Amino acid sequence: MNKVLFAAAEAAPFYKTGGLGDVSFALPKALQTDNQIRVVIPYYGKLFPEKYRNLVKDLMHFTVRVGENVKYCGIKTLKLNGVQYYLIDNEEYFGRDGLYGYWDDGERFAFFQLAICEMLEKVNYIPDVLHLNDWHTAFIPVLLKDKYNWIDAYRHIKTVLTIHNIQFQGVYDPIILGSLFGIGRRTFNEGSVEYYGNVNFMKGGITFADAVTTVSPSYAKEIQTPGFGENLDGILRDNSYKLHGIINGIDMKIYDPETDPDIPEHFNVSDMSGKALDKKALQKAVGLPQKDVPVFAVVSRLTRQKGMDLLLNALNEFLQNHDVQVVILGTGDPDLEKGFEGYQNAYPDKLAAKIEFDVKLAQLIYAGSDGFIMPSAFEPCGLSQMMAMRYGSVPIVHSVGGLRDTVIPFNKFTKKGTGFGFDDYRFEVLGKMLDSAFDLYAKAPKTWQELRKQGMEQDFGWEKSAAKYSDLYQELTD
């Protein structure tokens, strides 16, 4: 059994801005079976939920040197679902109204990484494996090999860096090596952390970590190509021997159509009558006529990365040609938001655009929709397609990254599959795929039910992913 410290900039249920927050909550919980696991995250004081504050205890405080400056570092702790959390507290850096997007993010997360390194001996938890996530913690392997290599107790620590989205890399002026981290320029001059004249946290992590993982096998291949690698494809190809793709999961207990408290009627794979009632409830909730037509849905950030520009271009013909309804839920780029609202005005009985984020409505959409549209330009893993299948909504996806790994394209000859996938990233192709999905629903309802059933029977639980991470930890520490 390995001692693991899981380090991330966010973790549900305390705070999350996306998939990283979900993973930082669910994966450590699942890893407990085979490992001793603890989690370290920042203490964003203003954002920490009231309901958990009474569980938080002050453990200790010390100072951390950030370049020439000495900064306060408090360590708080709490236990939730059997997992012990360390919360790194500094009001100056983390007492803000948001998690990211500040001019001094480089300094904030330099402090966070230094504080983690300084904390290990003080809390008497020196892990066998330090599992790091995204750019906010990616520089720690560099620090362990450079700044802290004199500490004997740290020398056996193995590091795993998980890339959730390679677009965000932590790129800063090389002055930070001295002014924040208090190290020389050796790693920069050797090229290990250098990136077009700057320092790149992610590149440093990829170079110095003992293993690098990403959140699906297909994304692990894609990021080694210029089209997806965000200028790090070369360094990823150089380090491909230690690069692994492990698909994320979903919490099958929380997201269960038989027990979900956020949906009006429950159902399961052998009795789908509740889903038909949820569909009516969804139509009512979004102001669409309660009629027996297929309902296709989107729950997403309304951005080009999520393929929403493609969908906008495909929708007009789809809505014109078919007796169908479409529900859009999300916020994002103003021009795309306006585009969907325009369709709502043009087709008030066919399309409802809810430009907001509503967790409860999202669950009703998964439960009440027949099809789920997810045409992402790239998708490291994606959770929505798994949620959709769990709730019997058939996904229509662009076959990239985790979408390729989780959605089995429907085969009209064998009748096997769990959804529809397309490779050619053009709106005309998405339009044809939507037509195919509509035709199958309308003309072959028994086959549609079989497709829906095959999706609902998939096991997307975290246990499988956790077992792969545990095997990787074991390989590294053997």
Side-chain angles (χ1 to χ4, degrees), residues 53-321:
R53 283 183 190 264
N54 64 331
L55 299 175
V56 177
K57 295 187 178 76
D58 287 311
L59 197 60
M60 63 177 68
H61 61 87
F62 49 90
T63 56
V64 171
R65 188 172 280 279
V66 181
E68 293 298 309
N69 300 309
V70 175
K71 301 289 184 179
Y72 169 87
C73 177
I75 305 289
K76 298 175 184 292
T77 187
L78 85 157
K79 212 161 194 181
L80 191 67
N81 300 312
V83 177
Q84 184 173 351
Y85 292 81
Y86 295 115
L87 307 165
I88 291 185
D89 181 26
N90 176 291
E91 183 67 20
E92 179 191 346
Y93 292 133
F94 301 133
R96 316 235 176 142
D97 296 326
L99 271 56
Y100 321 119
Y102 296 96
W103 68 272
D104 60 345
D105 277 358
E107 182 174 342
R108 295 170 70 223
F109 290 101
F111 165 78
F112 181 52
Q113 295 175 93
L114 289 163
I116 290 170
C117 295
E118 300 274 346
M119 165 192 108
L120 301 177
E121 279 189 309
K122 292 178 170 64
V123 299
N124 195 25
Y125 188 78
I126 296 175
D128 302 309
V129 177
L130 189 44
H131 189 152
L132 312 163
N133 293 273
D134 274 350
W135 73 268
H136 324 91
T137 51
F139 211 70
I140 287 175
V142 183
L143 295 173
L144 290 177
K145 296 280 196 316
D146 188 317
K147 186 179 179 77
Y148 297 101
N149 68 344
W150 60 275
I151 302 176
D152 281 341
Y154 289 8
R155 286 190 182 155
H156 79 277
I157 297 174
K158 300 295 182 186
T159 51
V160 175
L161 170 64
T162 295
I163 300 168
H164 298 264
N165 188 339
I166 202 161
Q167 268 196 316
F168 306 106
Q169 299 175 5
V171 178
Y172 298 101
D173 189 292
I175 197 169
I176 69 162
L177 293 169
S179 68
L180 299 181
F181 291 114
I183 60 175
R185 291 172 69 105
R186 184 173 61 85
T187 55
F188 182 80
N189 295 337
E190 287 170 353
S192 310
V193 305
E194 188 273 336
Y195 178 84
Y196 300 101
N198 288 311
V199 167
N200 184 314
F201 286 17
M202 187 77 92
K203 182 180 178 183
I206 292 164
T207 307
F208 283 97
D210 296 294
V212 180
T213 74
T214 189
V215 290
S216 68
S218 289
Y219 192 60
K221 293 190 188 102
E222 288 165 0
I223 59 175
Q224 295 179 63
T225 67
F228 291 88
E230 298 288 338
N231 294 320
L232 289 179
D233 49 291
I235 199 78
L236 285 159
R237 286 193 299 276
D238 291 345
N239 288 277
S240 60
Y241 68 93
K242 63 179 182 185
L243 179 60
H244 310 260
I246 300 174
I247 200 83
N248 284 340
I250 58 173
D251 191 319
M252 303 281 279
K253 287 194 183 79
I254 293 175
Y255 301 117
D256 183 351
E258 275 199 282
T259 57
D260 189 337
D262 284 334
I263 61 175
E265 299 293 336
H266 294 138
F267 57 93
N268 59 42
V269 76
S270 53
D271 177 7
M272 297 290 286
S273 53
K275 186 167 176 74
L277 296 168
D278 287 333
K279 180 171 170 176
K280 286 189 170 165
L282 171 61
Q283 289 168 319
K284 186 178 178 185
V286 298
L288 289 172
Q290 289 178 299
K291 51 195 278 199
D292 186 17
V293 296
V295 174
F296 291 86
V298 170
V299 177
S300 176
R301 291 199 313 279
L302 305 180
T303 63
R304 283 159 177 78
Q305 186 237 307
K306 294 295 182 184
M308 291 298 115
D309 52 334
L310 221 63
L311 179 58
L312 265 181
N313 286 324
L315 266 179
N316 196 44
E317 210 167 298
F318 184 57
L319 293 168
Q320 261 183 0
N321 294 346

Side-chain angles (χ1 to χ4, degrees), residues 278-289 293-300 302 308 311 315 318-319 324-330 340 344 347-356 361-362 364-366 368-373 393:
D278 287 333
K279 180 171 170 176
K280 286 189 170 165
L282 171 61
Q283 289 168 319
K284 186 178 178 185
V286 298
L288 289 172
V293 296
V295 174
F296 291 86
V298 170
V299 177
S300 176
L302 305 180
M308 291 298 115
L311 179 58
L315 266 179
F318 184 57
L319 293 168
V324 67
Q325 291 176 349
V326 176
V327 179
I328 310 283
L329 174 66
F340 288 117
Q344 180 175 250
Y347 298 96
D349 289 346
K350 286 190 169 185
L351 188 137
K354 297 292 175 190
I355 308 301
E356 58 186 278
L361 180 56
L364 182 56
I365 288 171
Y366 289 123
S369 60
D370 297 296
F372 193 85
I373 310 166
S393 186

